[in-house]
Amino acid sequence: ACAEALLNEVGDEETNVCILEKQQDTSAMQRVQGFLDTIEGHDNIVVLEESQATEDTVEAKLELAEVWVQKYSDIDAIFCYQDVSALACMQALKSANRQDGVLIYGVDGTPEAGAAIASGEMAGTAKQQPDQLAIAATEDVYTYLEKGSIDHDWNSYVDVVYVDASNVEDYQ
């Protein structure tokens, strides 16, 4: 969803992207891979760097983003596997007075990301729907308890909602 939003935003314009990943986390890497798969074939999207923080702390993510800000003068967008990382990148850009025009994307749909989107500091987030997952799981439990048959794989997929300035008020 974030990569599609980026592609819609930039069109054919050359766009330099940094990607913050976490290789030890399967879901984080699936998110990054989904982003990469979506931008594949769009030659105008250039991945400057795909890295992870030295530790899984906000401070380490901020430190990595600060390195990017020093290393690259032409960052147009940043994609992070989670909103906390996106917010750290946002802070690094703000501290360097480089946030103008940089599109920052995260995943999770946290209230903090919603506030950053509402204020124009983040472009968007792919919001998970834990309430929908809970409903689906509860329905399966009741079906199982009533000796019914569950007619789908145990791994269920629930759509994410892309949240940006146009709909952020609906999710705050």
Side-chain angles (χ1 to χ4, degrees):
C2 293
E4 288 171 0
L6 173 67
L7 293 172
N8 288 334
E9 179 70 27
V10 302
D12 292 334
E13 187 177 320
E14 184 168 315
T15 304
N16 297 313
V17 181
C18 290
I19 299 173
L20 199 151
E21 65 184 10
K22 183 178 178 190
Q23 295 176 357
Q24 301 81 357
D25 184 321
T26 302
S27 66
M29 291 310 295
Q30 288 171 339
R31 295 167 181 182
V32 169
Q33 191 59 54
F35 185 89
L36 292 170
D37 289 348
T38 303
I39 65 171
E40 185 177 354
H42 295 271
D43 296 337
N44 61 309
I45 308 295
V46 177
V47 176
L48 295 173
E49 189 167 327
E50 184 179 338
S51 300
Q52 70 178 15
T54 55
E55 297 176 10
D56 191 23
T57 64
V58 174
E59 294 80 12
K61 293 167 188 174
L62 178 61
E63 206 171 279
L64 174 60
E66 288 170 342
V67 168
W68 287 347
V69 168
Q70 294 300 315
K71 188 175 181 180
Y72 302 107
S73 61
D74 55 352
I75 299 171
D76 300 307
I78 296 176
F79 172 72
C80 298
Y81 70 93
Q82 62 166 200
D83 286 342
V84 170
S85 301
L87 293 166
C89 291
M90 181 188 79
Q91 186 57 48
L93 288 165
K94 283 174 71 173
S95 293
N97 199 27
R98 296 252 323 265
Q99 74 273 22
D100 287 344
V102 180
L103 302 168
I104 302 173
Y105 299 93
V107 176
D108 289 329
T110 64
E112 296 83 4
I117 292 166
S119 70
E121 296 175 299
M122 266 182 72
T125 183
K127 180 178 177 20
Q128 299 180 54
Q129 299 188 78
D131 56 333
Q132 297 303 310
L133 289 170
I135 289 168
T138 302
E139 289 171 351
D140 285 352
V141 167
Y142 279 108
T143 299
Y144 178 79
L145 292 173
E146 294 170 358
K147 307 292 186 224
S149 173
I150 297 173
D151 61 352
H152 59 82
D153 290 335
W154 286 103
N155 289 333
S156 297
Y157 179 79
V158 173
D159 288 333
V160 297
V161 175
Y162 182 70
V163 178
D164 63 9
S166 71
N167 64 354
V168 69
E169 289 182 11
D170 297 338
Y171 298 100
Q172 287 186 309

